[in-house]
Amino acid sequence: GNSVTQMEGPVTLSEEAFLTINCTYTATGYPSLFWYVQYPGEGLQLLLKATKADDKGSNKGFEATYRKETTSFHLEKGSVQVSDSAVYFCALSDSGGGADGLTFGKGTHLIIQP
Amino acid sequence: NAGVMQNPRHLVRRRGQEARLRCSPMKGHSHVYWYRQLPEEGLKFMVYLQKENIIDESGMPKERFSAEFPKEGPSILRIQQVVRGDSAAYFCASSPPRAGSTDTQYFGPGTRLTVL
C-alpha cells in the first residue's frame, strides 16, 4: 500500500535559518506529491505540489522537487520567518488517474524563534 | 468565492449520543472527502463521495460511521453512539468535477469533536 514518512518534530530553528523537512514515500503507481501547512486551530492549506518526476513545486519561498529515484519530496526554504511556524504535512495521491483520498505523513511541527 | 465550509466548528457530545458533521464544498466542486485527525497524528482518509454516490469508503470504521452527499445540501458525516475514542478533528476537502490524482483537494477548517 501507499505510505508517507516524514521527519519527526518538533523542529526548532532561528529566524533566517535554512529549512529542510524530509519526506519519502511508497506508492504502487505514479503519485502526485503535496505539501500542506496547518496553522494552529486551522485547517490545511496547500503549500505546493508536483505531479511528475523532476517537477519542482514552489510557493512563498518554499520548494520541493519530486525525486522518483529516491522516492523523496523534501521541503526546503532558504530563510525561515517566525510566521512559518506551523505543522507541515507531506502527502501523496495515487489512483492511476482517478481521484481518491490523500495519504498523509504524520506531520512535522516547525517552531521558528526570533 | 467561499472556500470549503464546515459546521459546527466545535461539537461536544456525551458517550452514546449522535454526532452530525456538515460540509459544504467549494462552489463548482462535486467531489468531497472526509478525513480524521487524531491528536499528534496526521490525517487519515475516511471516505470519498460524489453527489449521491459513495465512491470509496475504505477508511471508514465498519460500525457507527456513515456519510452521505445528497443531490441538494451539504455532505454529512454521521457518527452514532459516540465513544471517547471518536474525539478528533474531522476535516472535509473538496475537488472539482474532473478530479484526478493531480488535482488539489481544498480543505475546510475542520470540526473538533469532543466526547465526554
Side-chain angles (χ1 to χ4, degrees), chain A residues 36-47 86-89 104, chain B residues 4 6 9 35 37 43 89-93 105-112:
Chain A
Y36 281 85
V37 57
Q38 184 180 32
Y39 297 101
E42 298 184 11
L44 276 70
Q45 300 174 25
L46 177 69
L47 182 59
V87 180
Y88 291 80
F89 292 96
F104 282 89
Chain B
V4 178
Q6 291 186 250
R9 294 292 305 274
Y35 295 83
Q37 183 180 32
L43 279 73
Y90 292 83
F91 289 96
C92 169
Q105 293 181 21
Y106 295 86
F107 282 79
T111 293
R112 280 154 182 81

Side-chain angles (χ1 to χ4, degrees), chain B residues 62-73:
Chain B
K62 293 290 185 277
E63 298 179 349
R64 303 188 297 107
F65 285 72
S66 62
E68 63 177 8
F69 188 16
K71 188 176 180 182
E72 302 291 337

Side-chain angles (χ1 to χ4, degrees), chain B residues 12-111:
Chain B
V12 179
R13 286 288 178 265
R14 296 191 181 279
R15 281 180 297 170
Q17 291 184 319
E18 179 180 284
R20 279 182 180 244
L21 289 63
R22 285 175 289 278
C23 169
S24 296
M26 285 181 70
K27 186 176 181 180
H29 286 192
S30 57
H31 297 236
V32 166
Y33 310 79
W34 285 94
Y35 295 83
R36 177 165 62 177
Q37 183 180 32
L38 295 170
E40 308 301 323
E41 293 285 327
L43 279 73
K44 301 292 186 186
F45 167 73
M46 299 180 75
V47 61
Y48 161 42
L49 309 104
Q50 296 179 20
K51 287 282 187 182
E52 301 183 281
N53 281 305
I54 297 174
I55 307 302
D56 179 357
E57 56 181 348
S58 58
M60 284 278 271
K62 293 290 185 277
E63 298 179 349
R64 303 188 297 107
F65 285 72
S66 62
E68 63 177 8
F69 188 16
K71 188 176 180 182
E72 302 291 337
S75 175
I76 306 287
L77 179 67
R78 182 181 178 208
I79 312 172
Q80 296 179 288
Q81 299 175 321
V82 295
V83 301
R84 288 217 174 104
D86 297 332
S87 296
Y90 292 83
F91 289 96
C92 169
S94 72
S95 63
R98 65 171 186 85
S101 62
T102 62
D103 282 312
T104 299
Q105 293 181 21
Y106 295 86
F107 282 79
T111 293

